[in-house]
Amino acid sequence: MHGRLAFPDVCRISNLPMIFNHPEYDAHEQILHVCDAEAGLRAIVAIHRSRDTIAAGGVRFRPYPTDDDALTDVLRLSRAMTYKNVLADLPLGGAKSVILGDPARDKNPALLRAFGRVLERLGGQYMCGPDIGTTADDMDVISEETPHVGATNQQMGSSGPPTALGVFHGVRALAAHLGYGTELRGLHVAIQGAGAVGSDLARHLVEAGARVTIADVDVQAVETVREQVNVAVVSPDEILSIEADILSPCALGGILDEHTIPSLEVRGICGGANNQLREESDAERLRARGIAIVPDFVASAGGVIAGTAAAGLYPQAEMPGKLEGIYDRALAILGQATADGATPHEVAHRMAARMLGES
Ligand code: PHE
């Protein structure tokens, strides 16, 4: 056994979770499982591609049914961050982290600071920002331990508004692709989710003359939007099957699948939620139904575009151009997909791989 590590027997149990064989592994550069028992922190940090610089991506805080659900989620999300950052022309790699727990119950300053210390020990390879279950206030707490955090209150505040503006540019591109022209007047958009992104998107669309129908499981969130913007409201079970021109998923991911796609009554999809397809093959399901989709990692880039500019990772003066660039990128991907008879996801993946030098 000379020169070799003697593994304890427990490491030979064949049903240990497999990282290298994990279906979503995709040659991640680094996956860190973190446990800080004292602070009650359990988290996974996944760095997909660092591109020899900094990998940026949000920190999601939510309870997962199983550890493998958490791992699967963070791997898929961090891979999507690489595509998102590359296609948004950001000089950054992609990463993501998940904190396992219920933010309403488990989130506290000691836990967030423990998470900040993990980032500090990573030495700047990874810069986090907010995601589902975390806010600018949480980024402030993390920043007490490390400078490798974006979208704090001092830097920017909520990443909702720039994300919503980016989705709006994506919706404009989709409308142009579908032949509605650049005028959104009369266009009917169904928005799933009245959170920070969905509510702000509703405002942009209504200002541009579009008609908006919105739904959220949070009745209060829907009421708040209705008080401020002229929108129609339907129940969360109805929003995925109402007749509209465009569907904009702005809540959780995984909502487009073999059950929901057959009942969609829209011509196109563009929203801010991450990982809207349950499986890669759902892109083909949409294509077969003639429904065009702006890949979520293109449409939802506004938050990271603004957040990383505010954090000083590239010149602030370039920020508005990159945000508006979502329009051109989305239009190019949709046009190429039509020309090739491919799905927009395939085209976008190919484009990103080329830009990463991986094809
Ligand atoms: N949660 C954001 C996303 O999914 C990531 C983000 C990173 C936001 C840095 C702001 C700042 O794109």
Side-chain angles (χ1 to χ4, degrees), residues 56-60 77 81 84-85 96 127-132 150-151 156 159 163 272 274 300-308:
V59 44
R60 180 167 292 199
L77 288 165
M81 274 323 292
K84 186 183 299 197
N85 293 342
K96 199 95 179 190
M127 202 205 72
C128 82
D131 197 77
I132 292 172
M156 169 171 102
S159 60
T163 306
N274 284 315
S300 68
V304 71
I305 289 173
T308 55

Side-chain angles (χ1 to χ4, degrees), residues 17-18 22-23 44 64-75 100:
M18 295 167 291
H22 195 284
I44 310 175
Y64 287 93
T66 70
D67 289 3
D68 188 59
D69 290 315
L71 179 62
T72 300
D73 204 31
V74 77
L75 292 176
L100 286 69

Side-chain angles (χ1 to χ4, degrees), residues 215-234:
D216 198 304
V217 286
D218 181 345
V219 185
Q220 191 49 50
V222 172
E223 267 321 301
T224 309
V225 180
R226 194 172 18 201
E227 278 162 22
Q228 296 166 356
V229 198
N230 181 18
V231 294
V233 174
V234 295

